[in-house]
Amino acid sequence: MKVSVIGTGYVGLVTGACLAEVGNDVLCMDVDEAKVAALGRGEVPIYEPGLEELVRGNLDAGRLAFTADMARCVAHGLFQFIAVGTPPDEDGSADLRHVLDVARGIGRHMADYRVLIDKSTVPVGTADRVASAVGEELAQRGTAAEFDVVSNPEFLKEGAAVEDFMRPDRVILGCDRDRPTGLLRDLYAPFNRSHERVLTMDVRSAEMTKYAANAMLATKISFMNEIANLCERVGADVEMVRQGVGSDPRIGFAFIYPGAGFGGSCFPKDIAALRGTAREHGYPARILEAVEAVNREQKRVPEEKIVARFGEDLTGRTFALWGLAFKPGTDDMREAPSRTLMESLWARGARVRAFDPEAMEECRRIYGERADLVLVDGPYQALDGADALVLMTEWKPFRSPDFARIAESLSDPVVFDGRNIFDPDYLAENGLTCIGIGRPAPTTGAE
């Protein structure tokens, strides 16, 4: 099938590459001509495991191409995937300017039937606005070309997006007519072989499903962080509590790991947008407000623990930082807890020596060159001259380091574990004090 994807960001690029991988003829469009040229050479601007190989392989096979020409893009595909950004507006609601610009562009150029697919995360009612924008352009041209607008939200996890697309838990199709439903079932058939994964529903329910799913996951994280903070105050160990709670099959273990808060491009933005929708309809979304508030405060917990150890004034102190990305498997630092920590340490006069397996260039792009930030080539180089180590991203190479080397390198042998990946008692046996989230002080060792 011929497929067009408008927007070559995270969602658009994964969508285009994966659809090409199963044999479709895919054309991806972006307004950034330099980016289009780089993608045409197989240069992928984001880190996502397996994506670069997928893009290069399908470029070489002739199934994937890139363009900055909107007319060419609209003429190419029966399916027009809209995968552009929906950044938060000043009030937190989703900014739909890019989505509606794409809709108008399709309306200006389409000559026959097209299926427009909202892949971007958009508020309930967006499909109606997209249809109106296309209809207005067609009316101005005096063209009666038919089209349908479908909601097909993405459920891709950064760090596992290719796997999620190729082996989806579910494929949500929000359609109000049978024709696009049948066409999209055919398009998604290669991903639906072992058992039925396609769920069809009305457009507005599909739009809401995406927001509800992300809000539920974010709620689980904030809830467990709230429990962790309470555990510290009553002398309980949140890791024991997590195992006891997760053993209940009605709850499960997913997304109940306490830590330094969530970040990224999805959860913070989507919760704010869903709150905006509630506000527009006069509904006070109290749980969503609490999820945001808890997460905002949780990002400050590592700083609070550092201040409790070293005092309010951190002038002259140096902290080794392991992990900059908001989660493992990505170079994305949007809303990352590491940013909250670094900026607060700098405000208190401290210096940071940081390492991340993938997010170093992104950190340079965000902060540039500054005297109080040194980006090093490896985790142990970050320890040179450091008073303490702070772990903020649970990358696999950080899980079993040389603890004796860490203890020898730090002027104060303490590790602030922002993701609870270390056993405080084991670190104590190796001469380190481990200060985690919601965990009691070690019973032996350095202290």
Side-chain angles (χ1 to χ4, degrees):
M1 294 184 173
K2 289 186 178 295
V3 178
S4 294
V5 180
I6 300 115
T8 60
Y10 180 80
V11 174
L13 195 54
V14 171
T15 298
C18 290
L19 288 172
E21 179 70 8
V22 296
N24 295 296
D25 181 2
V26 179
L27 179 63
C28 293
M29 182 266 172
D30 201 288
V31 295
D32 185 338
E33 294 187 4
K35 185 178 184 182
V36 167
L39 286 167
R41 297 189 297 268
E43 299 171 10
V44 176
I46 57 174
Y47 174 73
E48 180 62 39
L51 181 58
E52 186 169 309
E53 296 83 352
L54 213 60
V55 168
R56 290 181 175 178
N58 284 284
L59 278 170
D60 292 344
R63 294 187 298 266
L64 180 64
F66 297 92
T67 185
D69 185 341
M70 187 66 173
R72 178 188 170 195
C73 181
V74 175
H76 174 82
L78 166 64
F79 301 100
Q80 301 280 318
F81 280 88
I82 302 175
V84 293
T86 54
D89 216 333
E90 291 182 2
D91 62 355
S93 60
D95 184 345
L96 297 177
R97 283 178 296 175
H98 302 310
V99 171
L100 297 177
D101 284 346
V102 170
R104 283 187 281 268
I106 294 172
R108 277 193 293 271
H109 296 291
M110 63 182 285
D112 49 14
Y113 180 72
R114 291 289 181 268
V115 181
L116 282 68
I117 301 128
D118 280 334
K119 202 69 175 170
S120 304
T121 301
V122 293
V124 176
T126 298
D128 295 337
R129 297 182 63 181
V130 168
S132 294
V134 174
E136 289 169 5
E137 293 293 332
L138 292 174
Q140 288 182 14
R141 294 170 51 207
T143 302
E146 288 189 55
F147 67 94
D148 282 293
V149 181
V150 175
S151 175
N152 174 218
E154 53 86 13
F155 296 96
L156 307 176
K157 299 186 295 291
E158 290 195 45
V162 172
E163 177 71 14
D164 287 346
F165 198 102
M166 300 301 287
R167 295 177 178 82
D169 296 320
R170 75 285 206 196
V171 177
I172 302 290
L173 300 180
C175 310
D176 291 333
R177 296 207 311 160
D178 291 339
R179 183 181 183 184
T181 303
L183 291 169
L184 281 163
R185 278 189 176 277
D186 291 342
L187 181 65
Y188 278 109
F191 310 98
N192 196 39
R193 291 177 61 83
S194 65
H195 63 275
E196 182 58 63
R197 293 183 171 93
V198 175
L199 300 175
T200 60
M201 59 186 70
D202 64 275
V203 172
R204 286 180 172 245
S205 295
E207 291 170 333
M208 178 59 90
T209 297
K210 168 64 176 181
Y211 279 113
N214 278 356
M216 174 62 78
L217 297 176
T219 299
K220 292 182 73 175
I221 295 171
S222 279
F223 175 81
M224 209 62 198
N225 282 334
E226 188 103 292
I227 294 298
N229 297 335
L230 187 56
C231 282
E232 288 189 9
R233 288 156 175 79
V234 301
D237 185 342
V238 74
E239 282 301 299
M240 299 296 102
V241 175
R242 180 186 65 80
Q243 293 176 38
V245 169
S247 299
D248 187 330
R250 297 170 300 174
I251 299 172
F253 288 101
F255 288 85
I256 62 168
Y257 290 86
F262 59 78
S265 63
C266 293
F267 288 1
K269 175 176 70 70
D270 291 354
I271 290 172
L274 191 54
R275 282 189 61 203
T277 297
R279 189 166 53 247
E280 289 173 11
H281 290 81
Y283 181 76
R286 295 186 182 91
I287 291 177
L288 298 180
E289 292 171 3
V291 169
E292 276 189 326
V294 169
N295 192 59
R296 187 166 53 249
E297 293 302 315
Q298 197 68 19
K299 290 182 179 182
R300 306 209 71 88
V301 168
E303 175 200 1
E304 292 167 2
K305 293 180 179 294
I306 290 170
V307 167
R309 179 85 177 192
F310 293 103
E312 297 281 348
D313 185 1
L314 299 177
T315 302
R317 298 282 186 183
T318 298
F319 293 93
L321 178 60
W322 285 7
L324 294 164
F326 85 94
K327 62 179 283 190
T330 181
D331 60 355
D332 194 344
M333 288 182 64
R334 285 174 289 185
E335 303 281 346
S338 64
R339 296 179 63 173
T340 302
L341 175 64
M342 286 193 293
E343 290 164 13
S344 64
L345 292 177
W346 293 332
R348 293 179 180 275
R351 296 184 299 274
V352 174
R353 293 176 61 84
F355 173 76
D356 186 284
E358 296 296 339
M360 304 292 273
E361 286 305 314
E362 179 66 3
C363 188
R364 287 190 183 93
R365 185 192 68 81
I366 294 169
Y367 292 113
E369 297 294 328
R370 48 186 301 158
D372 49 12
L373 173 63
V374 178
L375 298 176
V376 298
D377 295 329
Y380 296 108
Q381 288 93 317
L383 305 174
D384 293 343
D387 292 281
L389 168 63
V390 189
L391 182 137
M392 293 296 284
T393 314
E394 63 276 30
W395 286 94
K396 288 181 180 179
F398 299 159
R399 290 178 181 269
S400 187
D402 184 340
F403 291 115
R405 184 174 178 181
I406 294 172
E408 292 170 1
S409 300
L410 299 174
S411 62
D412 185 356
V414 59
V415 176
F416 297 92
D417 183 0
R419 295 298 173 188
N420 282 1
I421 67 172
F422 299 135
D423 178 351
D425 287 335
Y426 183 79
L427 264 67
E429 293 169 4
N430 285 271
L432 288 163
T433 298
C434 182
I435 300 175
I437 306 291
R439 310 209 66 184
T443 55
T444 60
E447 291 293 1

